[in-house]
């Protein structure tokens, strides 16, 4: 019991709050205080450097942009000292050149899109404000009409049933019942309008810029960026996919390849087929193998069964004789060595999703266990809610294909590392790595990234840093897939012009030398 | 050493968003004023938040819902400094991509 209740003279608390409440408040306070010191206030977002010559001379001078892209590639892919010196002199560093090139591409992209990032965000903000206002107005109007209906009813009641209070009545047909169920046509209309506004507010996605108009604007801006990069170098081309790739994932990955430079796609195809599989869990990229729903692992295993032990087939196991390779029922029952074929089994009414399921008996389905595809591959989760005209899972496929490109394109990872180090270094000191959540094995430097995942640092089992980053992947997923507020500040996500410029600059320049040599 | 509490409180959560900290325990938010004002509103409205590629419905009654509410100000900038193991497991299992 609270001491305040047992001891009226106690001045420790008023006794109005339970001690458990006080304890919870204290715990919340101390937890919050501890968290506040976890990360420092981020440094001010690095502004996009003003494009220096020759970029600022005329962003339509495509030849000079191409020349700049080639110099950047020379500096990053080959470490060419002359190129580095030239870019140092003109842009402060090769990274400055990437940013300047990207700023020019961004500007051209908005021209192609016919809508600027500011206009898209303002348009969404207006729509959201209008929807919010409509929500408030319709709620208020319904309340006013409801009050008016009650007043009208009370006036009618006083005229036709003088001296009877509705509060004193009950049952169907009583004044109380009539009052509670009385709806004028105006009130019915006001309630319908209120419900419509509420449904739009809750379900249209307007709060997070996931409404159709916002998505259409994001698509326009993404397409504009794609067209601007395509002015400098061709995009897309044939991406060789593994024959066992799953159709929906292959569709998403093939579409995603259309936003990446043709040189990158070609490098991937020349390196061998890329496998694409669907996952209902976490999507990912692996340079060596992926598990696939399409590939059956048809490898029976030897088991020793003592003579006389039961060897009855079950949905999960089928016994095969070593000698005949047929069903165990036909084998020599005295043999001790058997093969057993294992099956994946599902007990569901309808046919499960995926390939090769066969019915064993009503409600029992089986197929051979799934196997792996060796070689590079991506797994894609087929998420809904993408941009109009894009297949399901497009944004995630763009992300995962970005990881593949990091491996395929020389100099790209170095470029990303440069940018990441620049953004996460303050006064010559790198930011601390922190786990994204307590106990997480993902460590990030938060900087002022729009999503802390961008600052993820990978390490292998020995703790050595891996080449992969989440810069290009998160960037292309945002710019072309419309996630992360398109990087332009849609939804409750911040805007990052510097990242947008870097991504488009990197796409316009990395691996360009390869094109020249192959042509 | 602080006197141990004789009244048990439930699990607590804490987040850091842009260097601002806030916590929650048993329905109570505490910490940065702006952060918790936004969190309370999000919890009241049952707002949906995308955090770590997981979809969370905000509330003030559960640790996960409270994390969603506290993150609703800037989900992309949220670091969860403290959470119960089952919430960490939820994040681990529901990550959409790597």
């Amino acid at each position: 019991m609270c001491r305040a209740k047992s001891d009226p003279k106690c001045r420790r608390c008023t006794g109005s709050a339970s001690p458990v409440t006080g304890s919870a408040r204290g715990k919340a306070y101390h937890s919050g205080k501890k968290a506040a010191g976890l990360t420092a206030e981020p440094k001010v977002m690095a502004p996009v450097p003003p494009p220096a010559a020759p970029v600022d001379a005329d962003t339509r001078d495509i030849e000079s942009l191409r020349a700049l892209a080639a110099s950047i590639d020379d500096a990053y892919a080959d470490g060419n000292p002359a190129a580095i010196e030239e870019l140092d002199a003109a842009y402060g560093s090769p990274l400055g050149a990437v940013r300047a090139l990207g700023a020019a591409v961004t500007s051209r992209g908005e021209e192609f899109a016919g809508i600027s990032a500011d206009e898209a965000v303002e348009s969404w903000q207006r729509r959201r404000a209008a929807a919010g206002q409509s929500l408030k107005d319709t709620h208020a109007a319904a309340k006013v009409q409801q009050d008016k209906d009650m007043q009208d009813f009370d006036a009618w009641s006083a005229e036709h049933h003088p001296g009877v209070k509705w509060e004193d009545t009950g049952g169907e047909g009583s004044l109380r019942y009539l009052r509670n169920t009385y709806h004028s046509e105006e009130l019915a209309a006001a309630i319908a309008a209120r419900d419509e506004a509420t449904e739009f507010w809750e379900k249209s996605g307007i709060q997070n810029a996931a409404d159709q108009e916002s998505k259409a604007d994001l698509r326009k801006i993404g397409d504009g960026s794609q067209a601007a990069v395509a002015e400098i170098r061709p995009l897309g081309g044939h991406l060789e996919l593994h024959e066992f790739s799953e159709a929906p994932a292959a569709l998403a990955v093939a579409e995603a390849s259309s936003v990446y430079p043709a040189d990158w796609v070609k490098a991937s195809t020349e390196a061998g087929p890329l496998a694409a599989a669907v996952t209902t869990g976490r999507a990912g990229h692996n340079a060596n193998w992926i598990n696939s729903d399409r590939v059956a692992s048809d490898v029976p295993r030897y088991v020793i069964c003592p003579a006389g032990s039961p060897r009855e087939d079950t949905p999960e196991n089928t016994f095969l004789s070593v000698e005949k390779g047929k069903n165990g029922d036909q084998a020599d029952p005295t043999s001790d060595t058997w093969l057993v074929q294992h099956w994946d089994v599902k007990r569901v009414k309808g046919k499960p999703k995926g390939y090769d399921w066969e019915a064993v008996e009503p409600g029992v389905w089986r197929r051979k266990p799934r196997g792996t595809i060796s070689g590079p591959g991506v797994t894609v989760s087929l998420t809904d809610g993408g941009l109009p005209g894009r297949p399901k899972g497009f944004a995630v496929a763009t992300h995962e294909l970005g990881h593949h490109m990091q491996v395929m394109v020389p100099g790209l990872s170095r470029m990303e590392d440069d940018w990441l180090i620049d953004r996460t270094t303050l006064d010559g000191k790198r930011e601390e790595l922190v786990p994204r959540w307590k106990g997480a094995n993902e460590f990030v430097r938060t900087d002022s990234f729009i999503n802390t995942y961008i600052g993820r640092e990978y390490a292998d089992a020995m703790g050595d840093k891996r080449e992969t980053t989440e810069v290009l992947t998160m960037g292309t997923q945002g710019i072309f897939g419309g996630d992360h507020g398109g990087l332009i500040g849609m939804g409750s996500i911040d805007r990052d012009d510097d990242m947008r410029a870097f991504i488009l600059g990197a796409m316009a320049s990395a691996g360009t030398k390869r094109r020249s040599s192959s042509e | 050493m602080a006197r141990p509490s004789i009244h048990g409180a439930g699990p607590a959560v804490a987040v850091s968003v842009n260097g601002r900290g806030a916590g929650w325990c048993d329905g109570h938010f505490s910490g940065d004023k702006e952060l918790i004002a936004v969190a309370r509103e999000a919890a009241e409205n049952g707002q949906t938040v995308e955090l770590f590629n997981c979809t969370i419905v905000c509330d003030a009654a559960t640790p996960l819902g409270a994390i969603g509410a506290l993150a609703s100000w800037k989900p992309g900038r949220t670091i969860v400094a403290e959470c119960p193991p089952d919430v960490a497991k939820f994040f681990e299992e529901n990550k959409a991509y790597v």
Side-chain angles (χ1 to χ4, degrees), chain A residues 19 21 23-24 27 31 35-36 38-39 41 282-283 400 403 436-438 442 446-447 449-453 484 494, chain B residues 3 7 10 12 14-16 18-19 21-23 25-26 28 30 52 74 76-77 79-80 82 91-92 95-98:
Chain A
T21 302
S23 179
K27 206 167 171 183
S31 299
L38 186 69
T39 55
E41 189 79 28
R282 185 178 187 180
E400 301 307 343
H403 279 306
R436 291 183 85 202
W437 60 85
K438 192 182 180 186
E442 292 178 3
T446 61
D447 186 56
F449 298 130
I450 55 169
N451 190 315
T452 53
Y453 197 61
H484 318 308
D494 283 338
Chain B
R3 182 168 59 90
H7 305 292
V15 303
S16 169
N18 269 11
C25 181
D26 280 354
H28 299 281
S30 180
F52 309 142
K74 288 186 188 296
R77 305 271 318 130
I79 294 287
V80 177
E82 189 173 340
F91 288 138
E92 194 61 45
K95 284 182 291 194
Y97 48 78
V98 285

Side-chain angles (χ1 to χ4, degrees), chain A residues 247-303:
Chain A
L251 183 69
V253 171
E255 177 94 358
S257 72
S258 68
V259 306
Y260 285 104
D263 307 316
W264 299 11
V265 175
K266 192 176 173 190
S268 167
T269 293
E270 285 174 3
L274 175 73
V278 175
T279 178
T280 51
R282 185 178 187 180
H285 164 262
N286 195 301
N288 302 312
W289 56 269
I290 56 164
N291 286 316
S292 171
D293 197 44
R294 276 293 291 274
V295 185
S297 171
D298 190 8
V299 186
R301 294 176 189 172
Y302 284 98
V303 290

Side-chain angles (χ1 to χ4, degrees), chain A residues 134-135 138-139 142 183 187-203:
Chain A
S134 167
L135 189 70
T138 52
H139 270 77
H183 273 200
L187 180 58
I191 288 173
R194 181 194 66 188
D195 291 349
E196 194 183 334
T198 306
E199 188 177 347
F200 182 76
W201 179 255
E202 287 174 356
K203 294 184 181 169

Side-chain angles (χ1 to χ4, degrees), chain A residues 21-240:
Chain A
T21 302
S23 179
R25 279 189 180 140
K27 206 167 171 183
Y29 171 78
H30 289 295
S31 299
K33 205 169 178 188
K34 201 165 63 179
L38 186 69
T39 55
E41 189 79 28
K43 66 177 175 175
V44 177
M45 182 86 70
V48 178
V55 175
D56 66 349
D58 183 1
T59 56
R60 287 178 182 78
D61 182 0
I62 303 304
E63 281 311 316
S64 66
L65 293 181
R66 282 186 186 143
L68 177 59
S71 296
I72 292 170
D73 193 39
D74 270 351
Y76 275 104
D78 299 338
N80 183 335
I84 294 171
E85 199 176 316
E86 178 198 336
L87 296 176
D88 278 347
Y91 300 95
S93 67
L95 180 62
V98 178
R99 282 173 158 145
L101 176 62
V105 174
T106 304
S107 152
R108 287 288 287 154
E110 293 192 357
E111 280 178 40
F112 279 120
I115 183 170
S116 69
D118 287 336
E119 286 166 348
V121 173
E122 278 167 22
S123 169
W124 162 66
Q125 285 172 338
R126 271 200 304 275
R127 283 194 303 279
R128 186 183 60 169
Q133 193 58 47
S134 167
L135 189 70
K136 278 183 192 166
D137 291 349
T138 52
H139 270 77
K143 180 78 176 62
V144 167
Q145 188 59 46
Q146 203 165 20
D147 291 346
K148 186 172 177 303
D149 273 19
M150 292 302 101
Q151 285 170 8
D152 290 350
F153 182 89
D154 290 345
W156 172 86
S157 174
E159 187 183 335
H160 292 84
H161 302 280
V164 181
K165 285 184 177 177
W166 65 266
E167 295 95 325
D168 299 336
T169 64
E172 197 169 331
S174 66
L175 279 181
R176 177 192 288 273
Y177 175 82
L178 290 174
R179 191 177 193 274
N180 288 342
T181 55
Y182 177 62
H183 273 200
S184 67
E185 282 182 14
E186 289 83 0
L187 180 58
I191 288 173
R194 181 194 66 188
D195 291 349
E196 194 183 334
T198 306
E199 188 177 347
F200 182 76
W201 179 255
E202 287 174 356
K203 294 184 181 169
S204 66
I206 189 83
Q207 296 179 66
N208 300 316
D211 56 310
Q212 290 307 313
E213 288 92 336
S214 301
K215 284 181 182 177
D217 286 347
L218 285 167
R219 174 75 204 255
K220 277 185 207 165
I221 290 175
D223 287 353
S225 301
Q226 201 175 329
V229 179
E231 269 194 325
I232 298 171
R233 63 194 306 193
L235 301 181
H238 172 67
L239 177 71
E240 183 77 19

